[in-house]
Amino acid sequence: MDLNNSAYQLAQQVGKQLQAAQFLLTTAESCTGGLAAAVITAIAGSSDWFERGFVTYSVPSKIEMLGVPAALIEQHGAVSEPVAQAMAEGALRHSNAHLALAITGLAGPSDSGEGKPVGTVCFAWSLDNQTHCETVQFNGERQQVRLQAVEHALKGVLMLLSKRRN
């Protein structure tokens, strides 16, 4: 991993902010397959603020590991804000963390048959019994979509923490 990339720099900022707040972070990832956790744990000392990561790539893993209701996935599809929200909230319930980020999307090269274009990624961030969700359409090939998603997720953590401080 190139330790000079923007994802790594964002993760360093996230770590500083989490340490200052004395918070632990957990991740629930689907299309990024643990890339956010990998970027985070590339930082020495991240064990002080990163609690655990869930890689829930398949639908059954979202249900089993995070408690995402099967009916929610059936109703909205695995790539949806309601599922991202359930992933983030499930990650908090199944960890000792204070803050969760969740990523679910279509990195490509082909779509999932849900009628959503490749590059569609849904995010959720949970803190203080509140969850913020967002859907973003990224461009590029599979690896570019995945990296952009990780960067966006980390920026979301920074935004959430800065709002909390104000």
Side-chain angles (χ1 to χ4, degrees):
M1 177 180 303
D2 178 6
L3 298 184
N4 294 322
N5 71 32
S6 61
Y8 180 80
Q9 293 170 6
L10 285 165
Q12 285 181 310
Q13 292 173 35
V14 164
K16 288 177 186 172
Q17 294 297 321
L18 287 167
Q19 280 188 298
Q22 297 184 321
F23 284 167
L24 294 174
L25 173 68
T26 186
T27 59
E29 301 179 68
S30 186
C31 67
T32 50
L35 185 58
V39 168
I40 288 165
T41 57
I43 298 168
S46 58
S47 61
D48 292 339
W49 50 272
F50 182 64
E51 207 271 334
R52 72 183 72 180
F54 297 91
V55 177
T56 56
Y57 204 72
S58 69
V59 167
S61 67
K62 289 172 181 62
I63 296 166
E64 294 166 14
M65 294 177 69
L66 300 174
V68 176
L72 192 70
I73 295 170
E74 289 172 21
Q75 181 179 3
H76 298 281
V79 179
S80 64
E81 289 184 15
V83 169
Q85 178 175 344
M87 288 171 64
E89 292 170 357
L92 281 180
R93 277 192 313 276
H94 293 91
S95 72
N96 298 310
H98 306 92
L99 191 154
L101 71 82
I103 306 168
T104 183
L106 301 168
S110 59
D111 69 30
S112 68
E114 290 183 13
K116 296 167 185 147
V118 170
T120 303
V121 182
C122 300
F123 299 89
W125 300 269
S126 288
L127 174 66
D128 296 332
N129 296 317
Q130 294 185 349
T131 304
H132 171 73
C133 300
E134 182 174 53
T135 301
V136 177
Q137 181 66 47
F138 296 110
N139 295 312
E141 295 180 11
R142 181 176 177 78
Q143 288 306 99
Q144 294 168 312
V145 169
R146 290 167 39 118
L147 186 56
Q148 289 173 83
V150 168
E151 290 174 359
H152 188 80
L154 294 171
K155 287 175 185 175
V157 171
L158 290 172
M159 185 174 60
L160 195 61
L161 290 170
S162 70
K163 283 183 181 177
R164 192 175 190 278
R165 280 196 318 265
N166 297 334

